[in-house]
Amino acid sequence: MLGSSSIFTIAGCLHTDSLPAISISNQTSNRIDVKLVVRDVEEEEPVIDETFSLDADGDKSYSQPFETGGEKELRITVNGNRSKRHTWNDSPSSSGSVLTVSILEQDINIEEAVS
């Protein structure tokens, strides 16, 4: 949890263009396989639809994946057997949200903050 707190602490010190809109971190001691689908709830096609691996303590970020504001949905599956879904309202403006996904040994935590 310390890693996600530090993102929010420094958020006020950085330009919002440099902040990721979505940040995923592997906080386990093993390499993991991740399936990530992110979409605008009003659209059929996902903005992000990827399968990738993250090394232990690795991370991956996405900067401003949406062109319009509104309700968004994230679905993440880890190693094919753990999944979590989250919806939130986002804006592409400078007051958009930052979504932090922390993959732990037994859980997936998703936290949202307004930048």
Side-chain angles (χ1 to χ4, degrees):
M1 297 299 287
L2 181 60
S4 60
S5 298
S6 62
I7 288 173
F8 302 129
T9 302
I10 64 171
C13 301
L14 300 174
H15 296 286
T16 54
D17 291 344
S18 65
L19 286 174
I22 300 171
S23 177
I24 301 167
S25 66
N26 177 7
Q27 296 182 6
T28 73
S29 57
N30 298 307
R31 182 180 176 95
I32 58 172
D33 295 320
V34 176
K35 169 71 173 168
L36 178 69
V37 178
V38 180
R39 69 181 187 94
D40 187 314
V41 170
E42 296 181 7
E43 301 292 326
E44 290 292 322
E45 293 297 315
V47 175
I48 300 169
D49 187 352
E50 286 188 352
T51 301
F52 55 91
S53 295
L54 283 177
D55 289 330
D57 298 320
D59 58 45
K60 184 172 178 100
S61 297
Y62 299 88
S63 297
Q64 305 303 326
F66 301 105
E67 294 179 10
T68 60
E71 190 175 12
K72 313 302 180 192
E73 178 187 63
L74 175 142
R75 288 178 301 181
I76 187 165
T77 303
V78 177
N79 293 333
N81 61 4
R82 288 192 290 151
S83 61
K84 193 149 192 180
R85 173 190 245 176
H86 181 79
T87 57
W88 78 103
N89 285 308
D90 189 45
S91 169
S93 71
S94 61
S95 62
S97 60
V98 177
L99 198 66
T100 303
V101 180
S102 301
I103 301 165
L104 309 172
E105 295 290 345
Q106 300 296 320
D107 198 10
I108 301 170
N109 289 338
I110 300 176
E111 296 180 357
E112 182 182 344
V114 176
S115 59

